[in-house]
Amino acid sequence: MFTFRVGKKTIGNQCNVIRWFLQALLFFILLLFIVVIFLKLYNDPITDITKNALLTGRISRMDANAEGPCSRKNVCPANHIGFFVQSGAANVVPPKICVNNNLALGTVMNNAGSGINIVVVNGKSGEVVKTDHFNMYSGSVEPLIEFLKGVETGSVILMAVYDEGSTKLNEEARTLISDLGSSTIHSLGYRDNWVFVGGKGTTGKSNFEKHMKSDDSKNKYENWPEMVEVEGCVPKYVE
């Protein structure tokens, strides 16, 4: 006698397919969840500066956000040039230089770097002429010397140190900066913080300069001192 089983084998196979499909779907959802969490943790739109600050706890929220727009609005007479210059914080937060309440040098401008950062301003019009930075640790001092010699008389020069700005400085470079009105450039040392505003063809020493020596017993950021800054107004150049 023959016995027929209609449809049960087919139904069993269908159940196996459905079970496999559900397991695959569950695995895919779990994998997708893991990828989303990973991207959230490692690709969150937080700057490397802020990440480093949060990890080390060494740099305050104010320092980490120092690279924002020029929030300090200088009110200067019509025949003056307003400025705000802030040095770097350790080797984490780059310097910032604002001219007439506009950012001229900084991270968001992609023109700041380790060493001595410089902004040159036309002393007659108040327009930014050029910006540059010179690595004074692993770089060479000759490009800095050539840059300073090429600045036109009547220009306003704004400078800020980031990380380390003294190792390759020689007497010629220091004298050129001193001739712009700096009082402390000859004593600028390893990892000191320094900001300065002077002029090409000026006489006398500038009132806009700050110098913070690096001292391991007093430094705010381990091997680096706290940031320094200057702000104010300088008269436009008159021949």
Side-chain angles (χ1 to χ4, degrees):
M1 178 180 292
F2 295 96
T3 302
F4 295 92
R5 297 182 179 179
V6 181
K8 288 189 176 181
K9 186 174 181 180
T10 302
I11 292 173
N13 290 338
Q14 290 177 344
C15 290
N16 289 335
V17 171
I18 293 173
R19 186 181 299 110
W20 179 86
F21 176 79
L22 291 176
Q23 290 176 342
L25 181 62
L26 180 62
F27 176 79
F28 177 79
I29 293 174
L30 180 62
L31 181 62
L32 182 62
F33 178 79
I34 293 174
V35 170
V36 170
I37 295 298
F38 180 86
L39 292 177
K40 182 66 177 177
L41 289 174
Y42 292 95
N43 289 329
D44 195 69
I46 301 176
T47 64
D48 290 338
I49 291 171
T50 305
K51 285 181 180 179
N52 190 71
L54 293 174
L55 288 173
T56 62
R58 299 287 182 178
I59 297 179
S60 68
R61 179 175 293 274
M62 181 180 294
D63 294 338
N65 292 331
E67 185 45 64
C70 298
S71 57
R72 300 190 183 183
K73 303 298 182 182
N74 287 323
V75 180
C76 299
N79 60 339
H80 284 62
I81 299 170
F83 63 85
F84 173 69
V85 184
Q86 185 180 68
S87 70
N91 60 346
V92 179
V93 181
K96 177 171 67 175
I97 298 179
C98 300
V99 177
N100 291 326
N101 299 320
N102 294 309
L103 187 65
L105 180 141
T107 299
V108 299
M109 299 289 289
N110 196 33
N111 59 353
S114 295
I116 296 180
N117 293 258
I118 305 178
V119 172
V120 178
V121 177
N122 185 310
K124 297 178 181 179
S125 67
E127 298 295 323
V128 174
V129 176
K130 52 186 172 180
T131 70
D132 213 332
H133 57 89
F134 301 89
N135 191 316
M136 291 292 100
Y137 183 75
S138 59
S140 173
V141 73
E142 280 71 25
L144 172 62
I145 292 174
E146 183 179 353
F147 182 94
L148 294 174
K149 287 182 175 180
V151 174
E152 294 185 3
T153 299
S155 299
V156 178
I157 298 92
L158 307 95
M159 300 185 178
V161 161
Y162 175 40
D163 188 8
E164 157 47 22
S166 68
T167 301
K168 294 295 180 66
L169 279 181
N170 59 16
E171 187 61 28
E172 182 179 8
R174 291 179 188 267
T175 298
L176 286 170
I177 297 173
S178 177
D179 290 343
L180 299 175
S182 172
S183 301
T184 64
I185 188 62
H186 285 288
S187 59
L188 183 68
Y190 183 68
R191 286 183 174 172
D192 290 357
N193 255 340
W194 174 72
V195 291
F196 164 70
V197 177
K200 185 68 173 286
T202 187
T203 57
K205 295 302 179 182
S206 171
N207 294 321
F208 303 109
E209 183 173 25
K210 286 189 179 179
H211 178 205
M212 179 68 68
K213 296 293 293 183
S214 178
D215 184 338
D216 290 340
S217 65
K218 300 178 181 178
N219 285 342
K220 183 176 181 180
Y221 308 126
E222 294 185 349
N223 299 319
W224 291 268
E226 62 182 313
M227 294 188 297
V228 291
E229 58 188 43
V230 293
E231 62 180 316
C233 308
V234 294
K236 291 184 177 180
Y237 179 73
V238 179
E239 294 181 285

